[in-house]
Amino acid sequence: PPAVPLCALLNNLGSVPQLEMSILAREVMCSELGPRIGLLVGPSRFVTSLDTNGISLSLAPLDDVRKERLCAPAQCPSWRPAVVPRKPEH
């Protein structure tokens, strides 16, 4: 549904430079989906294939339960906690 807030996970599949991942994150936030994104996880390497050049973008509806779980502390060293994204200036 168009009015539902979203959470976004931006995953580096392995060999995309961090600068390019940051550019992708900005483009996602400047897209028509940007105003709906209430939480952003990444950009980071969550699920990789060593040398794969690519990204994945996952979107899910954001409700209170999902927000609580994505913001909860985790013991996994590679997990980046979700953040409330700053809206980029054009």
Side-chain angles (χ1 to χ4, degrees), residues 1-73:
V4 174
L6 300 171
C7 59
L9 184 142
L10 185 55
N11 178 35
N12 182 341
L13 295 177
S15 65
V16 179
Q18 190 59 38
L19 179 60
E20 291 180 25
M21 293 300 295
S22 296
I23 292 168
L24 287 166
R26 185 180 193 290
E27 290 300 313
V28 168
M29 294 309 300
C30 287
S31 76
E32 63 184 41
L33 293 173
R36 294 177 49 202
I37 297 175
L39 282 181
L40 176 64
V41 183
S44 191
R45 292 179 178 163
F46 295 107
V47 179
T48 66
S49 182
L50 296 178
D51 220 7
T52 301
N53 190 15
I55 63 116
S56 66
L57 173 64
S58 301
L59 299 169
L62 182 61
D63 57 24
D64 290 339
V65 173
R66 184 169 278 137
K67 184 175 184 176
E68 179 182 346
R69 291 177 180 169
L70 287 171
C71 293

